Amino acid sequence: MQDPFSCSICFEAFDREDHLPYILNCGHTFCKTCLKTPLDSLRQAYAYHMTENTRATLENLNNKRQCLSRCEGAFNHDSKLANLLVNQDLLRQMAILAQTTETATTAGTTQANEYSIIIGLAPHNLDIEKFQQHFLAQLEIKPKEIEVKDIEGSLIGEKTITLKYEVIYTNCSVVKADVKTLEQKIYRQDQYESNIFVVVNPHTDKQVLPDLKYDCREYNLIMMNYGVPMRRNPETDMVVLNGGPPAGMRDLEEIHKGLKWHIQQEAEELCVRFYYLPEQKCNRIVIYLGSGRNKIGNVVQYLLNRKMMIGDRNCRFQHDEKYKGRTNFLKVIY
C-alpha cells in the first residue's frame, strides 16, 4: 500500500522543503521536486500515477477513469507551483504523527496520546475536591488533569469540566476512557437532594429536550440537577429573582408552597433553587415552571403583590431595570 505521507512519484517522504506537498485540482498530492521536473518527465510520472490508480474494484473503475482525465489536465496545466496550493491538511496530519512518535517508549511498542471529555452544566458551587473524591472514584479510568471553567452567559453560573486523559496504545490493545463509562454516574455535593446531579449524554438521552440538546451541542456530557425541570428557556420557562439575602431551604420551600397553591398545581414540575454567583457578587433565586411555563405572567403578578421572609429579612419584589422588556426578571428589595 502506498504511504499517504510520501510522494507517489518519487516515493520520498513529504517535508516542508524540497518535498513540500502540493495538491492538484484533481485532489491528488505530489511533492515540490516532482512538480518542478520537465513536462516530459511529468507525463512519464503521470503514466505511472495512472497505472497505480487503476488498481481499483470494478464498481469504482468508472469514477477512477473520470478522475484520471482530470489528473492529466492538472499535470499539463498546473505544473507551475504558483497555481497550486500546499496541502496543509496533510502537513497537520504529519505533525500529529510526529508528535505521537516522539512519545513512543519501549522500542516503539507503546505510544501515548491525549484526548478530553467535556461535561457541561456543572453546578455553580462545584466543589472540586468532593468531585475528585466522590465522582472520579466511580470511574475505572481516571483523568490525568481536570480543568473547570465558567459558562459565559449562564444565568445560574454553571461551569464546564474538562477531563483530560492520556490513552496508551500497545501492540495488543488500546486503553481509553469512553463517554459511556461516565453516563448515569452521580455527583452529590452534600446531604441535600437539591445538590444531586446525574451525568447524561445530551445527544442520545431521550429525556433531553431538542432546544437543550442544541444548547449543549459542544459538550460530550451534561450534569442534570435532580428535581430541576429540563425546560429552562429564560424567556418562557422560568422567573428570576435577583439580589436579596441568601435563601435557605426553608425559604425556598415557602416560596414553592405559595406558588404551588396559587397556580393550582398546573405546573407539575415547579421547582425553586437558590444560587450565589461570585463573579457578579449576586444572590439569585430561580423559579423553574417546567410544563407550566405559560403561567409566567400569573407567577410574576403573584410575587409583585407579596412580601416574603427570605433569611431574616422581609422582602418584596419589583421589575429589574437591568433587564428591560423581560417581565420575568424581578429584583428583590429588603
Side-chain angles (χ1 to χ4, degrees):
M1 182 181 291
Q2 174 65 42
D3 179 5
F5 300 117
S6 64
C7 178
S8 59
I9 296 176
C10 63
F11 295 103
E12 292 291 336
F14 291 123
D15 56 34
R16 291 185 175 274
E17 296 178 359
D18 292 339
H19 298 288
L20 188 67
Y22 282 89
I23 188 166
L24 301 178
N25 290 341
C26 60
H28 294 109
T29 299
F30 300 100
C31 77
K32 175 181 177 180
T33 300
C34 288
L35 291 173
K36 287 176 67 177
T37 55
L39 188 58
D40 288 343
S41 299
L42 284 175
R43 286 176 179 153
Q44 210 171 24
Y46 164 70
Y48 171 79
H49 173 56
M50 183 178 65
T51 304
E52 286 294 297
N53 280 275
T54 50
R55 295 176 185 172
T57 56
L58 185 60
E59 57 267 26
N60 291 330
L61 192 56
N62 288 334
N63 290 336
K64 288 287 181 182
R65 283 173 179 162
Q66 291 174 10
C67 179
L68 292 174
S69 65
R70 289 195 297 272
C71 278
E72 184 174 22
F75 270 107
N76 292 330
H77 178 69
D78 292 337
S79 55
K80 293 183 179 179
L81 297 183
N83 297 328
L84 301 176
L85 295 176
V86 174
N87 193 334
Q88 297 292 349
D89 286 339
L90 184 63
L91 290 176
R92 277 192 287 270
Q93 292 176 37
M94 291 173 64
I96 293 171
L97 180 65
Q99 215 172 28
T100 309
T101 305
E102 284 179 8
T103 61
T105 57
T106 61
T109 58
T110 305
Q111 59 186 27
N113 202 358
E114 295 181 354
Y115 65 100
S116 298
I117 293 177
I118 302 176
I119 304 175
L121 310 192
H124 70 295
N125 56 348
L126 178 76
D127 188 320
I128 192 64
E129 289 186 9
K130 289 184 179 179
F131 179 79
Q132 290 174 313
Q133 292 172 5
H134 305 300
F135 182 84
L136 296 185
Q138 304 174 68
L139 309 181
E140 185 176 344
I141 302 175
K142 308 291 191 296
K144 69 170 188 174
E145 188 181 341
I146 303 173
E147 184 178 76
V148 180
K149 289 185 177 180
D150 294 326
I151 297 178
E152 187 176 350
S154 171
L155 278 173
I156 54 177
E158 294 159 313
K159 302 177 183 296
T160 60
I161 306 170
T162 302
L163 305 179
K164 298 183 179 181
Y165 288 90
E166 185 175 87
V167 60
I168 302 299
Y169 296 91
T170 69
N171 288 339
C172 302
S173 62
V174 176
V175 181
K176 186 176 180 181
D178 188 84
V179 168
K180 290 184 179 179
T181 63
L182 279 79
E183 283 186 68
Q184 302 303 317
K185 295 293 189 295
I186 300 295
Y187 167 64
R188 184 169 188 155
Q189 189 138 296
D190 52 37
Q191 72 272 24
Y192 298 109
E193 287 188 350
S194 61
N195 279 332
I196 298 176
F197 296 81
V198 60
V199 174
V200 301
N201 187 331
H203 314 292
T204 59
D205 195 297
K206 293 180 180 179
Q207 298 180 72
V208 179
L209 300 170
D211 54 346
L212 185 57
K213 284 184 179 181
Y214 180 79
D215 291 341
C216 299
R217 60 193 181 279
E218 296 179 0
Y219 310 133
N220 303 112
L221 298 161
I222 58 174
M223 281 190 173
M224 298 303 300
N225 194 179
Y226 175 76
V228 175
M230 288 188 295
R231 295 185 183 276
R232 43 186 294 160
N233 187 321
E235 296 181 0
T236 59
D237 304 327
M238 57 179 67
V239 175
V240 180
L241 310 178
N242 291 315
M249 290 298 297
R250 183 173 296 178
D251 303 316
L252 301 180
E253 287 172 1
E254 286 299 315
I255 296 173
H256 183 275
K257 187 189 299 182
L259 285 171
K260 194 171 183 180
W261 174 83
H262 178 72
I263 58 179
Q264 300 294 311
Q265 297 187 2
E266 289 183 38
E268 296 177 357
E269 297 174 88
L270 177 67
C271 172
V272 185
R273 290 286 187 269
F274 170 76
Y275 305 96
Y276 170 64
L277 309 179
E279 291 288 326
Q280 303 175 36
K281 296 181 180 179
C282 171
N283 294 324
R284 179 168 284 169
I285 295 174
V286 177
I287 301 168
Y288 299 89
L289 297 177
S291 59
R293 64 190 187 282
N294 59 324
K295 297 294 183 182
I296 277 185
N298 219 357
V299 170
V300 168
Q301 203 58 44
Y302 169 82
L303 292 170
L304 291 175
N305 295 326
R306 293 290 185 283
K307 289 184 178 180
M308 296 183 182
M309 288 296 294
I310 299 179
D312 58 352
R313 304 293 184 92
N314 196 12
C315 300
R316 60 187 178 86
F317 311 97
Q318 67 181 36
H319 289 294
D320 195 332
E321 295 178 356
K322 290 182 180 179
Y323 299 88
K324 292 181 179 179
R326 302 180 76 170
T327 57
N328 58 326
F329 279 69
L330 305 180
K331 186 177 181 180
V332 181
I333 307 295
Y334 62 97

